[in-house]
Amino acid sequence: MPTPDFILDLRRDIGHRLLWLPGTTAVVLRPGEAGEQVLCVRRSDDGSWTPICGIVEPGEDPHESAVREAMEEAGVEIEVERLVWMSPTGLITYGNGDQNDYLDHTFRARWVSGEAAVGDDESSEVGWFDLDQLPSPMSELQRRRIRVAAANPPHVLLGVAAAKAFLGED
């Protein structure tokens, strides 16, 4: 799905200035021959790989947004198991100059059905990857989201520092 209409409307009023938006990430896992695999998409705009990510629409629950984004981006049905991490992404500046910072809700999800395929023009490739063989390029933030969801912490991690501590990062 392209940029939601409500954001296009805001951009007409404020230009490229910073928007603070709710975001969602679905780390979709399924069993593989060598252990769990994660579903990743390659972004059309910058060529980077990510788990399923998107913007929470007004009035939409973040976990429902994750389910919707998985269907739109990769044509797969998923079931959200639980929220594992919530944190800001930090400033993201897009190629057109738009600036966003997202309060991201990272969900651990499991694949239910559907053959993964590129579902819209936001991505150019889609695939399942072993957790120890993630595709490149992928940002450290996205890799951390995948590691957190795969590790399935006993409680929701709040903030970047909590995720780094849980993963044993400095």
Side-chain angles (χ1 to χ4, degrees):
M1 175 183 220
T3 304
D5 289 339
F6 81 95
I7 292 177
L8 295 175
D9 291 342
L10 284 169
R11 287 287 176 210
R12 277 192 285 279
D13 292 338
I14 69 163
H16 300 299
R17 291 193 321 245
L18 178 64
L19 281 177
W20 173 249
L21 297 166
T24 189
T25 298
V27 177
V28 182
L29 302 168
R30 75 171 187 187
E33 291 182 24
E36 281 187 316
Q37 294 182 316
V38 63
L39 180 62
C40 295
V41 297
R42 186 171 202 150
R43 294 178 55 97
S44 317
D45 61 351
D46 66 6
S48 67
W49 287 90
T50 70
I52 301 294
C53 298
I55 297 170
V56 180
E57 298 275 349
E60 185 178 39
D61 286 327
H63 71 284
E64 292 172 349
S65 175
V67 171
R68 175 182 53 76
E69 290 285 351
M71 183 56 71
E72 289 175 0
E73 291 184 14
V76 296
E77 181 183 349
I78 67 169
E79 180 178 294
V80 169
E81 293 179 344
R82 60 185 294 268
L83 178 66
V84 292
W85 183 19
M86 190 168 67
S87 70
T89 60
L91 177 65
I92 297 172
T93 302
Y94 294 98
N96 66 357
D98 287 352
Q99 295 184 328
N100 292 349
D101 191 347
Y102 299 92
L103 177 58
D104 183 74
H105 302 77
T106 300
F107 294 98
R108 178 183 168 98
R110 68 176 185 82
W111 171 81
V112 173
S113 67
E115 198 64 39
V118 173
D120 59 26
D121 62 356
E122 290 183 43
S123 55
S124 60
E125 294 178 66
V126 62
W128 292 99
F129 297 90
D130 292 337
L131 293 173
D132 61 352
Q133 295 183 352
L134 296 177
S136 290
M138 181 183 285
S139 73
E140 182 53 36
L141 175 62
Q142 301 297 355
R143 290 176 186 280
R144 188 174 292 124
R145 286 178 178 161
I146 292 168
R147 287 194 306 271
V148 165
N152 200 16
H155 56 279
V156 176
L157 303 178
L158 300 175
V160 174
K164 286 182 175 182
F166 174 75
L167 294 170
E169 299 174 5
D170 293 325

